[in-house]
Amino acid sequence: MSRNRLVLASSNAGKRRELKALLADVSIEVVSLDEAGPVQFPEEGEEYLANAVEKARAAANQLGCWAIADDSGLEVEGLGGAPGPLSARYGGPGLDDAARAAYLLEALALRSNASRKARFVCVAALVSPEGQVKSARGECPGRILVAPKGIHGFGYDPIFEPDGFSVSMAELSSSEKDLLSHRGVALAALRPEIVKMQNQGDDGG
Ligand code: ITT
């Protein structure tokens, strides 16, 4: 695999779709894992930064190219910040996105007067074929709705209303979400490093 490619080190189709759109104007070739080849990922821990770096590092090491990964989650004030970095596994194995969102709504409903204030967090990590690491964090503040709304996006989007909006994240178009989302903010902050990476690729290095 050419080192002048950037692989999206994620098994989550919703994330990959968003990362691909957010990287649409980067001139280096952006490829998914199904095009780049299988990667053995390490077990994830409970820290966004370490998780994001380890996912990108695994892909960069094993494929010999640039890799980008994100580790993200939803933090709910009334649940003491849960599910946070454990968002993908919240409620146990075997749940789909809708069941996980329903599980979170139930957990919140069981706590009387629990704060519905919440935020999405994303830490994105870029790793070079030589193992150099750059990272950036993005947050999107909002609140948890009482019932799901909307069909766009993925994960917890139908139960999250971003601050300043009266619709759920899943009622926004993908381009509207990209402008305000935790992932959009993290990728915007990482952009200068991606442009530098692109230039290194152009130099043949
Ligand atoms: P990879 O590690 O393979 O990228 P993953 O889904 O396991 O996929 P994470 O460990 O980072 O990724 O878990 C993030 C979870 O947080 C994700 O599965 C969703 O449940 C939730 N999440 C993250 N970003 C989200 C977004 O933009 N909208 C809704 N839910 C989101």
Side-chain angles (χ1 to χ4, degrees):
M1 157 139 196
S2 158
R3 50 173 285 120
N4 294 345
R5 288 174 120 191
L6 174 60
V7 69
L8 300 176
S10 174
S11 59
N12 181 315
K15 246 193 216 187
R16 282 202 306 268
R17 204 170 46 238
E18 291 184 10
L19 288 170
K20 211 151 196 170
L22 289 164
L23 294 166
D25 59 340
V26 171
S27 67
I28 198 161
E29 189 186 2
V30 177
V31 294
S32 291
L33 284 176
D34 45 2
E35 302 162 79
V39 169
Q40 204 69 33
F41 287 107
E43 184 79 6
E44 287 190 37
E46 294 191 25
E47 258 193 48
Y48 297 114
L49 178 61
N51 288 344
V53 170
E54 289 315 314
K55 287 186 265 190
R57 203 198 301 277
N61 259 342
Q62 293 170 43
L63 300 171
C65 62
W66 292 85
I68 191 164
D70 96 38
D71 200 66
S72 41
L74 176 63
E75 300 180 351
V76 183
E77 197 169 271
L79 297 175
L86 302 177
S87 293
R89 290 172 269 167
Y90 191 54
L95 299 190
D96 61 11
D97 280 356
R100 255 191 303 276
Y103 183 87
L104 189 149
L105 291 183
E106 272 171 39
L108 205 49
L110 286 174
R111 299 192 176 197
S112 51
N113 298 322
S115 165
R116 307 191 81 86
K117 211 172 147 201
R119 64 180 181 185
F120 273 122
V121 175
C122 172
V123 175
L126 177 71
V127 175
S128 77
E130 292 76 30
Q132 269 183 299
V133 178
K134 300 288 172 189
S135 65
R137 178 183 169 105
E139 293 183 5
C140 178
R143 63 182 202 95
I144 302 300
L145 295 165
V146 289
K149 289 199 295 184
I151 55 164
H152 302 299
F154 68 98
Y156 299 94
D157 283 341
I159 61 166
F160 182 86
E161 184 179 274
D163 280 352
F165 288 77
S166 52
V167 293
S168 80
M169 196 77 120
E171 291 177 294
L172 297 177
S173 68
S174 51
S175 49
E176 286 170 326
K177 178 180 173 184
D178 288 347
L179 283 176
L180 64 99
S181 81
H182 47 311
R183 189 162 293 104
V185 173
L187 266 285
L190 204 54
R191 181 153 297 267
E193 298 302 333
I194 298 170
V195 171
K196 272 194 226 159
M197 170 206 80
Q198 215 177 298
N199 295 337
Q200 282 184 39
D202 291 345
D203 294 344

